[in-house]
Amino acid sequence: MTTVYDFELPRGYTDERGGVYKKGKMRLATAGDELTAARDPRVLNNPAYLTVVLLSRVVTELDGIDSVTATLIERLYTADLMFLQDMYQRINDIEAPVMRMKCPHCGEEIEAPLNFTREG
């Protein structure tokens, strides 16, 4: 199972000297990442900051930069932040489970999504 994914930012992080860094790695998030980010004082003060803290925990590399911090994530262009948010969702999301069964009317084999929540 893949737990670390390569990426290339659309615009790239630009440091103080004008260096641009685009290639990096993101790992799957853990429950601990989510919990730690939710307890961060910056998030408690401003819930919108959750994304920044969470991404700083799961983005493990960026073109040789020593460490990816919340401050670095804050300095990304909006396009790059949206790219990383989308990537985070895609790699950490799982497909809904399905059950294979036969239709009682026609006998055709079908897949039906399993819904573990109670609605209506």
Side-chain angles (χ1 to χ4, degrees), residues 19 22 35-36 73 85 95 115 119:
K22 289 186 166 192
L35 292 169
T36 301
I73 298 294
Q85 286 176 305
E95 291 184 30
N115 184 353
E119 295 178 0

Side-chain angles (χ1 to χ4, degrees), residues 46-114:
N46 179 1
Y49 205 74
L50 178 65
T51 299
V52 172
V53 175
L54 200 48
L55 288 174
S56 73
R57 293 183 60 82
V58 299
V59 174
T60 59
E61 291 180 31
L62 189 57
D63 265 342
I65 291 177
D66 291 336
S67 67
V68 177
T69 64
T71 302
L72 183 147
I73 298 294
E74 282 179 354
R75 292 180 181 157
L76 292 175
Y77 293 109
T78 303
D80 292 332
L81 181 65
M82 290 182 352
F83 172 86
L84 291 174
Q85 286 176 305
D86 179 63
M87 182 176 177
Y88 178 91
Q89 284 299 124
R90 282 185 291 117
I91 70 171
N92 287 289
D93 198 18
I94 60 169
E95 291 184 30
V98 295
M99 177 184 236
R100 295 185 68 83
M101 63 182 90
K102 285 192 180 192
C103 174
H105 303 289
C106 68
E108 181 181 348
E109 195 164 299
I110 60 172
E111 286 187 354
L114 291 175

Side-chain angles (χ1 to χ4, degrees), residues 10-65:
R11 296 201 184 269
Y13 169 71
T14 305
D15 68 12
E16 306 80 38
R17 294 183 304 263
V20 179
Y21 307 88
K22 289 186 166 192
K23 293 184 179 185
K25 295 183 184 292
M26 181 186 292
R27 66 171 173 77
L28 291 176
T30 65
D33 293 325
E34 297 266 350
L35 292 169
T36 301
R39 285 188 231 132
D40 187 289
R42 297 166 293 188
V43 174
L44 295 173
N45 189 40
N46 179 1
Y49 205 74
L50 178 65
T51 299
V52 172
V53 175
L54 200 48
L55 288 174
S56 73
R57 293 183 60 82
V58 299
V59 174
T60 59
E61 291 180 31
L62 189 57
D63 265 342
I65 291 177

